[in-house]
Amino acid sequence: MKDWIKKAVIYQIYPRSFKDSNGDGVGDLVGITEKLPYLSNLGVDVIWLSPVYKSPNEDNGYDISDYEDIMEEFGTMADFDKMLETAHSLGLKIMMDLVVNHTSDEHKWFIESKNKNPKYSDYYFWSDSTNNWGAFFGGSVWEYSPERKQYYFHAFAPKQPDLNWDNPCVRKEVFDMMTYWCEKGVDGFRMDVISLISKPEKFCDGVPDSSRYSHVADHIANGRHVHEYLREMNKNVLSKYDIITVGETACVTIPEALYYAGFDTNELNMVFQFDNMGLDREKIGKWAKKRPQLTELKKILSKWQEELYGKAWNSLYWNNHDQPRVVSRFGNDDKYRIESAKMLAVCLHFMQGSPYIYQGEELGMTNAKFDDIKDYRDIETLNAYKELVGKGIMSQEDMLERLAFSSRDNARTPMQWTSGENAGFTNGTPWIKINENYTEINAENQVNDSNSIFNFYKKIIGLRKKYEIITELKYELLLPNSEELYIYKRLYKNSELLVICNFTSETQEFSLPEYFDSTEIVISNYNRAAYSNTLAPYEAVVLGVNLQ
Ligand code: NOJ
């Protein structure tokens, strides 16, 4: 794998909530361009841009009606070109979101398909009958089209019909579209639910769960041709450009990841795995909160570190637009918000793989915790509320408490730029409420404060550039049974890093192994000059021996 990819730190922008330049309450491309110097100051290398293509916005752009046009609310193609040019002039790369498991039902291909234009007839999955699979956003995966007088398949919302990748014409359309963007000069793709693109030959009923449906993911993840199609994509497009790729691979296992992201498999550079994302949710109904166990978290992250080492590449993330804020999940978003946000950054960024920072994470932004369903905008949240509260399965109070913890909107509130009106995000009315804590938590406060979370992230990013070996060291977990401390070593030739993180709001004891006598403090979230055996609440410290 290319060296620049191994060393890159990636920053995700959710354009709708990043920066509004024209007062319509929705973030846009001109707003992003304005803020590129902020990202360049932070020191990141690549920006993953959530979808900016033309879309009716059923799922905030993850339902595309034209892959070669820009969403009206976000601006024009000229604005995109200007953004790309400015990014490049600052040394920043742009990774596009590639949403090709499905299109919008307003995409030309789907309109032609439902109207039985023979050329497009098999671009989607059509059937005279249905089965018992349940969609990600609730309800059946089948929707009736009165025009075609058949049902079509959608793994997500009815307005997101799934493309039929078994049709070579579909694959060619997708590859041509990718080429269009590569020729424009973009630097990579984050591939939305790419593990779902290859469907089974037959759509047989499955075992239903408590929702009376059989979850679609159990039937379509890591399908029979997925690796073949990705290799074809690699040969036809990816291999021709110097670009970075990451697959969002729902239900990925280690053996599958070794194909998707293997060093010699010619598919993708890395994948997002989700094993640790469900740790604070009950298995039944993703909406219930449970206390995450540190030992479980360690087990999962260590497994991915160890089993991919030398064979494939990890992506490292706590946050994205689909997950609640990490400091509200695995940290303490109240008394120890600053300490725990920094500790979580340390814990993740010293592992092997490419680190991802989701907008606002570098400020320690917290969950929104809305207490009125009217404040929510996310289709998944609203559908679940309708289903559970509407049908009397859960009380309104209960559901709101759960959403305040787990809704995707927790991460989608606007970036908190300043302590001024609307957090400096917009001059208009924001499309979704701004988190009330913006007067305290905002970029303006942090950029010039050397002790801020922002500057701590900046320092960590800088260390990755300074010590070549951060990308190469081998991982080894210490104290696997501790529910309080996450400690791991990174080893490479005669160099060693020791990463010590206290995941609790109490002090903890840990004495260093003897040979760690003369060490360098690489970073400490309590600004320690020397190591102390008593770790303060949420303390994180990284020690190094023979670092190069
Ligand atoms: C995964 C995306 O991250 C999510 O936001 C979206 O709703 C689904 N894929 C469907 O595209």
Side-chain angles (χ1 to χ4, degrees), residues 138-140 211-213 383-395:
S140 165
S211 72
R212 83 190 156 83
Y213 290 112
N383 283 358
Y385 184 89
K386 230 183 280 164
E387 173 74 18
L388 298 172
V389 178
K391 294 191 179 153
I393 302 168
M394 201 178 279
S395 73

Side-chain angles (χ1 to χ4, degrees), residues 48-68:
W48 151 22
L49 206 57
S50 274
V52 295
Y53 315 91
K54 191 164 185 187
S55 159
N57 270 316
E58 178 76 352
D59 186 15
N60 289 355
Y62 283 91
D63 49 317
I64 295 166
S65 53
D66 187 342
Y67 289 103
E68 294 180 16

Side-chain angles (χ1 to χ4, degrees), residues 59 62 102 137 156 190 192-193 248 321-322 408 412:
D59 186 15
Y62 283 91
H102 45 270
F137 294 158
F156 293 88
R190 172 268 184 188
D192 191 65
V193 289
E248 188 209 22
H321 63 293
D322 291 334
R408 306 198 294 184
R412 297 179 180 186

Side-chain angles (χ1 to χ4, degrees), residues 98-386:
L98 184 79
V99 188
V100 287
N101 172 68
H102 45 270
T103 65
S104 162
D105 66 344
E106 296 180 30
H107 194 287
K108 177 183 117 198
W109 301 336
F110 187 77
I111 295 169
E112 295 296 328
S113 191
K114 78 174 176 189
N115 290 327
K116 296 193 195 159
N117 175 339
K119 175 168 180 230
Y120 296 96
S121 179
D122 289 336
Y123 268 45
Y124 297 84
F125 295 96
W126 293 97
S127 167
D128 293 326
S129 56
T130 65
N131 68 2
N132 74 345
W133 297 357
F136 279 93
F137 294 158
S140 165
V141 295
W142 297 101
E143 184 76 9
Y144 188 68
S145 157
E147 291 93 344
R148 180 142 162 172
K149 298 190 176 52
Q150 275 188 311
Y151 297 91
Y152 65 88
F153 176 89
H154 59 88
F156 293 88
K159 278 184 75 64
Q160 295 168 296
D162 280 46
L163 282 167
N164 175 8
W165 274 71
D166 297 330
N167 180 342
C169 298
V170 166
R171 303 204 294 278
K172 181 163 186 316
E173 298 262 23
V174 170
F175 301 159
D176 287 351
M177 173 271 282
M178 291 172 74
T179 302
Y180 165 84
W181 286 101
C182 289
E183 287 297 318
K184 220 180 215 312
V186 305
D187 306 285
F189 297 105
R190 172 268 184 188
M191 303 189 187
D192 191 65
V193 289
I194 203 71
S195 55
L196 308 185
I197 58 172
S198 170
K199 310 296 190 281
E201 207 171 349
K202 293 203 174 104
F203 292 70
C204 303
D205 274 349
V207 183
D209 59 24
S210 58
S211 72
R212 83 190 156 83
Y213 290 112
S214 177
H215 200 288
V216 62
D218 297 337
H219 303 280
I220 63 173
N222 308 311
R224 58 203 170 119
H225 296 301
V226 67
H227 298 293
E228 178 189 324
Y229 295 159
L230 286 178
R231 282 196 296 269
E232 190 180 325
M233 178 197 281
N234 188 299
K235 180 163 170 257
N236 285 285
V237 189
L238 308 178
S239 60
K240 299 186 176 155
Y241 301 92
D242 184 19
I243 56 176
I244 177 169
T245 56
V246 53
E248 188 209 22
T249 45
C251 307
V252 68
T253 57
I254 299 247
E256 288 291 340
L258 293 175
Y259 282 107
Y260 287 122
F263 289 142
D264 52 9
T265 50
N266 299 323
E267 294 188 23
L268 307 174
N269 293 136
M270 61 193 123
V271 292
F272 289 127
Q273 60 83 17
F274 293 90
D275 289 355
N276 51 314
M277 284 295 139
L279 277 181
D280 50 359
R281 318 265 177 94
E282 294 293 348
K283 284 256 175 335
I284 321 152
K286 69 174 263 196
W287 304 101
K289 174 176 179 172
K290 88 174 182 207
R291 200 174 167 274
Q293 284 196 315
L294 185 62
T295 45
E296 280 299 306
L297 178 71
K298 293 195 286 194
K299 206 194 272 170
I300 292 169
L301 294 180
S302 303
K303 179 182 83 177
W304 281 88
Q305 285 293 300
E306 284 157 10
E307 297 191 28
L308 260 49
Y309 186 77
K311 300 181 195 143
W313 194 246
N314 275 294
S315 43
L316 310 171
Y317 75 99
W318 288 126
N319 273 160
N320 60 40
H321 63 293
D322 291 334
Q323 303 292 339
R325 294 278 178 184
V326 68
V327 73
S328 302
R329 286 177 93 169
F330 296 104
N332 176 321
D333 65 5
D334 190 16
K335 190 167 167 203
Y336 294 111
R337 185 184 63 84
I338 297 176
E339 293 80 358
S340 64
K342 292 178 180 174
M343 181 279 286
L344 288 160
V346 167
C347 184
L348 195 72
H349 281 241
F350 286 91
M351 292 185 193
Q352 187 170 58
S354 300
Y356 287 73
I357 301 168
Y358 176 67
Q359 65 181 44
E361 180 185 332
E362 78 284 11
L363 305 175
M365 276 178 63
T366 66
N367 275 356
K369 302 181 183 161
F370 295 145
D371 52 16
D372 188 337
I373 191 65
K374 289 202 198 80
D375 293 331
Y376 286 98
R377 300 283 177 271
D378 168 34
I379 180 174
E380 182 190 47
T381 303
L382 298 176
N383 283 358
Y385 184 89
K386 230 183 280 164

